[in-house]
Short mmCIF file of all heavy atoms in Angstrom, two decimals:
data_model
loop_
_atom_site.label_atom_id
_atom_site.label_comp_id
_atom_site.label_asym_id
_atom_site.label_seq_id
_atom_site.Cartn_x
_atom_site.Cartn_y
_atom_site.Cartn_z
N GLY A 306 -37.04 0.65 9.44
CA GLY A 306 -38.02 1.28 10.32
C GLY A 306 -37.36 2.02 11.52
O GLY A 306 -37.92 3.15 11.83
N PHE A 307 -36.47 1.45 12.11
CA PHE A 307 -35.70 2.06 13.18
C PHE A 307 -34.99 3.28 12.67
O PHE A 307 -34.98 4.41 13.41
CB PHE A 307 -34.70 1.10 13.73
CG PHE A 307 -33.84 1.70 14.89
CD1 PHE A 307 -34.29 1.93 16.14
CD2 PHE A 307 -32.46 2.00 14.61
CE1 PHE A 307 -33.66 2.50 17.18
CE2 PHE A 307 -31.71 2.56 15.64
CZ PHE A 307 -32.24 2.81 16.87
N MET A 308 -34.40 3.29 11.51
CA MET A 308 -33.67 4.37 11.04
C MET A 308 -34.63 5.52 10.64
O MET A 308 -34.33 6.78 10.81
CB MET A 308 -32.80 4.02 9.73
CG MET A 308 -31.63 3.12 10.04
SD MET A 308 -30.56 3.81 11.41
CE MET A 308 -29.99 5.26 10.61
N LYS A 309 -35.85 5.13 10.25
CA LYS A 309 -36.82 6.23 9.82
C LYS A 309 -37.17 7.02 11.15
O LYS A 309 -37.43 8.14 11.00
CB LYS A 309 -38.17 5.40 9.37
CG LYS A 309 -39.27 6.42 8.95
CD LYS A 309 -38.98 7.04 7.58
CE LYS A 309 -40.19 7.74 7.19
NZ LYS A 309 -39.97 8.48 5.93
N VAL A 310 -37.19 6.39 12.30
CA VAL A 310 -37.50 7.03 13.46
C VAL A 310 -36.29 7.81 14.02
O VAL A 310 -36.39 8.92 14.47
CB VAL A 310 -38.04 6.12 14.61
CG1 VAL A 310 -38.24 6.73 15.91
CG2 VAL A 310 -39.28 5.39 14.09
N LEU A 311 -35.09 7.23 13.95
CA LEU A 311 -33.93 7.73 14.51
C LEU A 311 -33.45 8.96 13.72
O LEU A 311 -33.03 9.95 14.25
CB LEU A 311 -32.81 6.81 14.63
CG LEU A 311 -31.45 7.24 15.12
CD1 LEU A 311 -31.60 7.62 16.53
CD2 LEU A 311 -30.47 6.05 14.95
N ALA A 312 -33.49 8.82 12.41
CA ALA A 312 -33.05 9.98 11.52
C ALA A 312 -34.20 10.30 10.45
O ALA A 312 -33.99 9.71 9.40
CB ALA A 312 -31.68 9.55 10.86
N PRO A 313 -35.16 11.07 10.73
CA PRO A 313 -36.07 11.34 9.70
C PRO A 313 -35.46 12.06 8.54
O PRO A 313 -34.57 12.95 8.79
CB PRO A 313 -37.06 12.32 10.45
CG PRO A 313 -36.89 12.02 11.94
CD PRO A 313 -35.46 11.54 12.05
N GLY A 314 -35.93 11.70 7.37
CA GLY A 314 -35.32 12.30 6.23
C GLY A 314 -34.07 11.51 5.70
O GLY A 314 -33.78 11.76 4.41
N LEU A 315 -33.51 10.67 6.43
CA LEU A 315 -32.39 10.08 5.97
C LEU A 315 -32.60 9.02 4.86
O LEU A 315 -31.88 8.95 3.82
CB LEU A 315 -31.63 9.26 6.98
CG LEU A 315 -30.33 8.46 6.73
CD1 LEU A 315 -29.24 9.43 6.20
CD2 LEU A 315 -29.72 7.76 7.93
N LEU A 316 -33.69 8.24 4.89
CA LEU A 316 -33.96 7.29 3.84
C LEU A 316 -34.42 7.98 2.63
O LEU A 316 -34.10 7.61 1.50
CB LEU A 316 -35.12 6.33 4.41
CG LEU A 316 -34.78 5.38 5.56
CD1 LEU A 316 -36.08 4.55 5.90
CD2 LEU A 316 -33.59 4.72 5.38
N GLY A 317 -35.21 9.06 2.85
CA GLY A 317 -35.44 9.88 1.57
C GLY A 317 -34.22 10.37 0.89
O GLY A 317 -34.27 10.49 -0.34
N THR A 318 -33.20 10.77 1.69
CA THR A 318 -32.00 11.31 1.13
C THR A 318 -31.33 10.18 0.16
O THR A 318 -30.80 10.46 -0.88
CB THR A 318 -31.08 11.80 2.10
OG1 THR A 318 -31.67 12.92 2.87
CG2 THR A 318 -29.83 12.31 1.51
N PHE A 319 -31.22 8.95 0.80
CA PHE A 319 -30.66 7.86 0.08
C PHE A 319 -31.43 7.59 -1.31
O PHE A 319 -30.82 7.30 -2.30
CB PHE A 319 -30.57 6.65 0.95
CG PHE A 319 -29.33 6.62 1.71
CD1 PHE A 319 -29.34 6.86 3.15
CD2 PHE A 319 -28.08 6.21 1.23
CE1 PHE A 319 -28.21 6.73 3.89
CE2 PHE A 319 -27.07 6.13 1.93
CZ PHE A 319 -26.95 6.44 3.35
N TYR A 320 -32.74 7.59 -1.16
CA TYR A 320 -33.65 7.47 -2.27
C TYR A 320 -33.18 8.42 -3.40
O TYR A 320 -33.02 8.09 -4.59
CB TYR A 320 -35.04 7.43 -1.93
CG TYR A 320 -36.00 7.38 -3.26
CD1 TYR A 320 -36.23 6.21 -3.84
CD2 TYR A 320 -36.57 8.56 -3.80
CE1 TYR A 320 -37.00 6.13 -4.94
CE2 TYR A 320 -37.33 8.51 -4.85
CZ TYR A 320 -37.57 7.27 -5.42
OH TYR A 320 -38.33 7.23 -6.54
N ASN A 321 -33.16 9.79 -3.04
CA ASN A 321 -32.81 10.68 -3.98
C ASN A 321 -31.38 10.66 -4.54
O ASN A 321 -31.12 11.11 -5.75
CB ASN A 321 -32.91 12.10 -3.32
CG ASN A 321 -34.45 12.40 -3.00
OD1 ASN A 321 -35.43 11.95 -3.54
ND2 ASN A 321 -34.68 13.17 -1.94
N LEU A 322 -30.56 10.22 -3.74
CA LEU A 322 -29.11 9.87 -4.25
C LEU A 322 -29.10 9.04 -5.52
O LEU A 322 -28.30 9.16 -6.45
CB LEU A 322 -28.23 9.33 -3.25
CG LEU A 322 -27.90 10.23 -2.02
CD1 LEU A 322 -27.05 9.47 -1.00
CD2 LEU A 322 -27.05 11.44 -2.61
N PHE A 323 -29.83 8.03 -5.48
CA PHE A 323 -29.96 7.05 -6.54
C PHE A 323 -31.00 7.37 -7.69
O PHE A 323 -30.74 7.21 -8.88
CB PHE A 323 -30.24 5.60 -6.06
CG PHE A 323 -29.09 5.01 -5.21
CD1 PHE A 323 -29.07 5.12 -3.92
CD2 PHE A 323 -28.06 4.31 -5.92
CE1 PHE A 323 -28.01 4.60 -3.16
CE2 PHE A 323 -27.07 3.73 -5.15
CZ PHE A 323 -27.01 4.02 -3.87
N ALA A 324 -32.17 7.84 -7.24
CA ALA A 324 -33.18 8.21 -8.22
C ALA A 324 -32.79 9.47 -9.11
O ALA A 324 -33.02 9.55 -10.30
CB ALA A 324 -34.48 8.67 -7.42
N GLY A 325 -31.99 10.32 -8.48
CA GLY A 325 -31.61 11.47 -9.24
C GLY A 325 -30.04 11.47 -9.66
O GLY A 325 -29.45 12.50 -9.70
N ALA A 326 -29.64 10.20 -9.73
CA ALA A 326 -28.14 9.98 -10.08
C ALA A 326 -27.79 10.67 -11.38
O ALA A 326 -26.57 11.19 -11.51
CB ALA A 326 -27.82 8.54 -10.10
N GLY A 327 -28.63 10.67 -12.32
CA GLY A 327 -28.32 11.26 -13.65
C GLY A 327 -27.95 12.68 -13.58
O GLY A 327 -27.34 13.13 -14.48
N ASP A 328 -28.60 13.35 -12.76
CA ASP A 328 -28.46 14.82 -12.79
C ASP A 328 -27.52 15.17 -11.40
O ASP A 328 -27.42 16.36 -11.14
CB ASP A 328 -29.74 15.53 -12.55
CG ASP A 328 -30.72 15.20 -13.78
OD1 ASP A 328 -30.07 15.12 -14.78
OD2 ASP A 328 -31.87 15.09 -13.44
N ASP A 329 -27.02 14.22 -10.83
CA ASP A 329 -26.13 14.55 -9.49
C ASP A 329 -24.81 15.08 -9.98
O ASP A 329 -24.13 14.59 -10.77
CB ASP A 329 -25.94 13.27 -8.67
CG ASP A 329 -25.44 13.54 -7.27
OD1 ASP A 329 -24.20 14.01 -7.32
OD2 ASP A 329 -26.25 13.37 -6.28
N SER A 330 -24.52 16.20 -9.27
CA SER A 330 -23.16 16.94 -9.63
C SER A 330 -22.02 15.99 -9.37
O SER A 330 -21.01 16.10 -10.00
CB SER A 330 -23.21 18.25 -8.99
OG SER A 330 -23.24 18.19 -7.60
N SER A 331 -22.12 15.24 -8.18
CA SER A 331 -20.99 14.59 -7.86
C SER A 331 -20.74 13.36 -8.85
O SER A 331 -19.45 13.12 -9.00
CB SER A 331 -21.21 13.85 -6.41
OG SER A 331 -22.19 13.00 -6.32
N ILE A 332 -21.75 12.75 -9.32
CA ILE A 332 -21.61 11.78 -10.39
C ILE A 332 -21.00 12.43 -11.78
O ILE A 332 -20.22 11.81 -12.40
CB ILE A 332 -22.92 11.00 -10.67
CG1 ILE A 332 -23.25 10.16 -9.36
CG2 ILE A 332 -22.72 10.03 -11.74
CD1 ILE A 332 -24.47 9.30 -9.41
#
Side-chain angles (χ1 to χ4, degrees):
F307 176 73
M308 294 305 300
K309 182 72 174 178
V310 175
L311 180 64
L315 181 60
L316 297 183
T318 298
F319 272 104
Y320 173 79
N321 292 330
L322 286 177
F323 289 92
D328 301 323
D329 193 293
S330 59
S331 64
I332 293 183

